[in-house]
Amino acid sequence: MIAPGAGSGVTLTSLIHEKWRYDLGDGAWLIYEKSWLDPAAFKTLRECLAWKQESVRMMGREIPMPRLTAWYGDPGAVYTYAGRTFEPLPWTPELRAIQSRLAHEEGIETNSCLCNLYRNGRDSIGLHADDERELGPLPQIASVSLGSTRRFVLRQKGCKVEVTLGAGDLLIMGGTTQQNWKHEIPKTAAQVGERVNLTFRLIRHHPRLVRP
């Protein structure tokens, strides 16, 4: 569920049971759907995806990312972030099935998926926006969470919105969200287990699209 902070100006609209739209203002919006995917998918995806420890270069040093990642997608769906360029691995049947369901049920076009594995509460991702040029000016990012519950925090100057993402929950960020807000999965001192996060997106310079 989403908890707006002071001054967030969030408008909540119930779409169907357990599905809500949150208008963040200035054209930014979120759609949250509880238990969209069977939580049992965690075990399969944890075991079948090709998790890798990537690093980023900071102040002349290679620093390991505080999580494991894997990049999947159509051939040519190359993605550059954190100073690295990633060539996609071929879709697994499990990821392809989720991608197809997002297209048909949510109307979201995608051709790639960044997978993240948070191993414990020390794993995190810092405040950022998914605003790389290959995603286009108004990207839609569909995020599916599996495993342990974690806090997802969006921030704008003077505003904060927190989302509690549990096993199977779907969060879609759209409109001007990446232009006007930044988001993070902060570290936590709580004893939490592993979490798999699948973020489906569309690489705009690649012609093959998945359409609803």
Side-chain angles (χ1 to χ4, degrees):
M1 196 61 183
I2 299 183
S8 65
V10 173
T11 301
L12 167 64
T13 304
S14 179
L15 301 178
I16 58 174
H17 180 61
E18 301 288 11
K19 183 176 183 179
W20 297 268
R21 179 185 171 102
Y22 298 82
D23 289 307
L24 303 171
D26 297 322
W29 53 265
L30 308 174
I31 289 177
Y32 167 82
E33 186 167 354
K34 184 176 177 61
S35 301
W36 182 82
L37 186 66
D38 185 348
F42 169 81
K43 184 175 186 296
T44 299
L45 291 164
R46 172 65 178 89
E47 293 175 353
C48 78
L49 299 184
W51 301 109
K52 188 175 179 181
Q53 176 71 74
E54 299 286 358
S55 62
V56 295
R57 192 166 185 82
M58 298 179 61
M59 301 182 68
R61 297 175 56 203
E62 293 290 330
I63 307 296
M65 289 184 181
R67 62 194 175 280
L68 303 184
T69 61
W71 176 247
Y72 288 84
D74 292 350
V78 178
Y79 189 39
T80 299
Y81 75 98
R84 301 282 187 179
T85 298
F86 298 91
E87 294 280 349
L89 295 168
W91 291 103
T92 69
E94 296 82 5
L95 290 177
R96 180 67 88 180
I98 298 170
Q99 180 204 28
S100 179
R101 185 178 167 194
L102 285 168
H104 288 89
E105 293 185 10
E106 308 297 334
I108 299 177
E109 301 176 354
T110 68
N111 56 18
S112 49
C113 180
L114 177 62
C115 309
N116 294 284
L117 173 61
Y118 299 86
R119 295 159 292 186
N120 50 51
R122 295 186 299 276
D123 276 2
S124 64
I125 187 167
L127 204 60
H128 71 287
D130 295 319
D131 55 2
E132 293 80 11
R133 64 177 180 82
E134 55 260 58
L135 297 177
L138 299 173
Q140 288 188 39
I141 309 294
S143 170
V144 180
S145 296
L146 293 162
S148 293
T149 298
R150 292 291 295 266
R151 291 169 55 233
F152 179 87
V153 181
L154 296 103
R155 296 183 186 273
Q156 190 187 59
K157 186 175 181 180
C159 303
K160 181 176 77 169
V161 175
E162 290 199 15
V163 188
T164 301
L165 293 176
D169 291 354
L170 170 66
L171 181 72
I172 303 170
M173 297 181 283
T176 62
T177 302
Q178 304 306 322
Q179 293 179 2
N180 299 333
W181 294 77
K182 293 186 176 182
H183 55 274
E184 64 178 336
I185 299 287
K187 296 180 187 293
T188 176
Q191 296 297 313
V192 296
E194 293 184 324
R195 171 183 182 256
V196 167
N197 176 234
L198 311 173
T199 56
F200 290 84
R201 55 196 72 203
L202 177 65
I203 301 297
R204 290 281 177 182
H205 62 59
H206 181 56
R208 274 191 65 200
L209 308 181
V210 175
R211 299 187 181 277

